[in-house]
């Protein structure tokens, strides 16, 4: 029994040493290695996926499609009055202030499932990000950079902000961003930040 306990302790110490060595190696790669160009590696995106405290990489890193002030937040099922329509309805996404022409990026890697011109939401791109997550990118400019079936990576530019969403035309220039998880709307800003 004493021999088996001793063996377990040694295995545990070996595992801790390996974890410490791996974490130190990753820190060196990101601190020193960031000065060495490596073709095909986007160091900024790679750095966003690494947690130096745990030494782990995130499998599904996320980024905001645009940066700006949230001018009309997700309503979480509550009724809010639409400035454009003058009626009370839910707001299933978040409106982020951005000038027309501002680049819009994919929040995560995924596959483009729809590119359409909706009568209310204007030019829309919908991306299946996997694991039941779907990104809805609305009020885009008529010229989009993606097509149905195209694979996109996190941060890849899919289009630009437009003024095509008639349902929100009384709001200042903005991008409408929505996320569904397993078919249910959720707060897109909170989703990206978690």
């Amino acid at each position: 029994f004493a021999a088996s306990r001793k063996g377990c302790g040694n295995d545990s110490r070996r595992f801790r040493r390996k974890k410490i060595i791996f974490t130190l190696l990753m820190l060196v790669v990101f601190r020193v290695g960031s000065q060495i160009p490596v073709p095909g590696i986007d160091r900024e995106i790679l750095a966003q996926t690494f947690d130096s405290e745990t030494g782990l990489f995130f499998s599904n890193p996320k980024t905001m499609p645009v940066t700006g002030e949230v001018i009309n937040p997700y309503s979480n099922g509550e009724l809010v009055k639409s400035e454009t329509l003058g009626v009370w309805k839910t707001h299933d996404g978040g409106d982020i202030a951005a000038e027309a022409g501002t680049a819009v990026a994919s929040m995560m890697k995924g596959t483009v499932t729809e590119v359409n011109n909706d009568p209310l939401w204007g030019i829309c791109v919908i991306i299946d990000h996997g694991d039941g997550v779907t990104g809805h990118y609305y009020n885009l400019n008529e010229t989009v950079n993606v097509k149905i079936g195209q694979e996109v990576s996190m941060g890849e530019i899919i289009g630009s902000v437009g003024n095509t969403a008639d349902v929100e035309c009384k709001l200042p220039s903005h991008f409408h961003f929505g996320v569904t998880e397993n078919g249910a709307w959720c707060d897109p800003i909170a989703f990206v930040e978690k």
Side-chain angles (χ1 to χ4, degrees), residues 9-194:
N10 287 338
D11 288 344
S12 177
R13 280 191 290 274
R14 270 190 229 122
F15 176 77
R16 280 189 297 231
R17 265 188 264 145
K18 286 180 180 179
K19 183 178 177 186
I20 290 169
I21 291 169
F22 177 77
T23 301
L24 290 173
L25 178 63
M26 294 316 300
L27 289 172
V28 168
V29 166
F30 286 113
R31 293 211 173 108
V32 176
S34 65
Q35 306 303 317
I36 303 168
V38 179
I41 301 293
D42 186 332
R43 295 221 180 258
E44 182 179 327
I45 290 175
L46 190 59
Q48 292 171 9
T49 68
F50 181 70
D51 182 348
S52 60
E53 286 185 28
T54 63
L56 300 175
F57 285 89
F58 297 106
S59 61
N60 283 323
K62 302 174 279 261
T63 189
M64 285 299 293
V66 299
T67 56
E69 178 187 351
V70 176
I71 58 174
N72 197 10
Y74 171 72
S75 73
N76 197 24
E78 297 291 321
L79 297 177
V80 292
K81 190 164 186 180
S82 165
E83 289 183 41
T84 303
L85 303 175
V87 298
W88 291 85
K89 59 189 268 334
T90 61
H91 190 247
D92 295 326
D95 295 330
I96 303 168
E99 292 299 318
T102 301
V104 175
S106 176
M107 71 167 165
M108 297 168 64
K109 68 180 180 178
T111 304
V112 177
T113 57
E114 289 184 46
V115 176
N116 63 55
N117 187 353
D118 184 88
L120 296 176
W121 293 106
I123 305 300
C124 304
V125 171
I126 299 175
I127 301 175
D128 178 355
H129 295 291
D131 297 324
V133 175
T134 303
H136 299 259
Y137 305 80
Y138 296 171
N139 195 30
L140 300 176
N141 186 289
E142 288 85 0
T143 306
V144 295
N145 300 356
V146 294
K147 60 183 188 258
I148 295 173
Q150 182 176 335
E151 299 287 324
V152 294
S153 57
M154 179 189 82
E156 184 173 337
I157 304 303
I158 61 170
S160 61
V161 175
N163 290 310
T164 59
D166 290 343
V167 73
E168 294 184 338
C169 66
K170 287 193 178 178
L171 294 175
S173 183
H174 70 282
F175 163 67
H176 181 91
F177 178 40
V179 171
T180 57
E181 282 188 281
N182 300 314
W185 292 104
C186 65
D187 183 338
I189 311 306
F191 177 82
V192 170
E193 291 175 349
K194 73 175 177 178

